Amino acid sequence: MPLAKPFKIPESVLVVIHTRQLDVLLIERADAPGYWQSVTGSKDSLAESLVETCVREVAEETGIAVGTAAVPLAALRDCELVNVYEIYPRWRTRYAPGVTHNTEHVFALEVPAGTRVTLAPREHTALQWLPW
């Protein structure tokens, strides 16, 4: 019998990826065509730090490796902005019973112009670099 998938943790990150020239990466969701966003994702465990969540989600969604010579960890900045929002009812089954809100921590990641982006096709279908 397959194991039940654990509930999502209602704490996440939003990572705005940009160049020094302030071109910003937007990616289109596979499950919502026409919906463009920055990198987002929930913590995998309560012990996972927000920085670890950022590094993992950026790698999973864009293929960009944070902590390398090209994109050092120092390029990731905590914007000290927190959004609390209601989880859409259609997604609440992913969370423990009674969970209705998510806390999202905003980060910025500066990458060199021309940084290669490799999307995870199950999550995102297209990308654009747009001026700030």
Side-chain angles (χ1 to χ4, degrees):
M1 184 170 162
L3 295 174
K5 194 171 184 179
F7 290 122
K8 286 186 69 157
I9 297 167
E11 187 172 19
S12 65
V13 297
L14 180 146
V15 183
V16 178
I17 299 173
H18 65 89
T19 65
R20 180 168 298 237
Q21 298 78 18
L22 293 181
D23 289 323
V24 177
L25 177 66
L26 291 179
I27 48 184
E28 184 179 27
R29 290 185 65 99
D31 63 358
Y35 184 86
W36 293 80
Q37 66 179 64
S38 293
V39 168
T40 61
S42 295
K43 292 175 71 169
D44 263 358
S45 71
L46 293 174
E48 184 177 53
S49 73
L50 294 172
V51 169
E52 290 169 328
T53 304
C54 290
V55 170
R56 178 179 51 75
E57 288 292 339
V58 167
E60 288 175 3
E61 295 186 18
T62 69
I64 297 171
V66 178
T68 62
V71 184
L73 188 57
L76 180 67
R77 183 174 57 87
D78 185 343
C79 296
E80 299 182 15
L81 175 64
V82 177
N83 301 310
V84 177
Y85 60 86
E86 186 173 359
I87 301 164
Y88 287 128
R90 69 179 179 166
W91 301 120
R92 287 189 190 158
T93 57
R94 296 176 175 187
Y95 298 86
V99 173
T100 59
H101 287 75
N102 184 69
T103 301
E104 176 183 74
H105 304 268
V106 181
F107 287 77
L109 176 65
E110 183 179 317
V111 300
T115 295
R116 182 184 166 141
V117 175
T118 304
L119 297 177
R122 293 182 68 200
E123 291 194 53
H124 299 97
T125 56
L127 67 93
Q128 291 185 35
W129 288 96
L130 297 173
W132 181 268

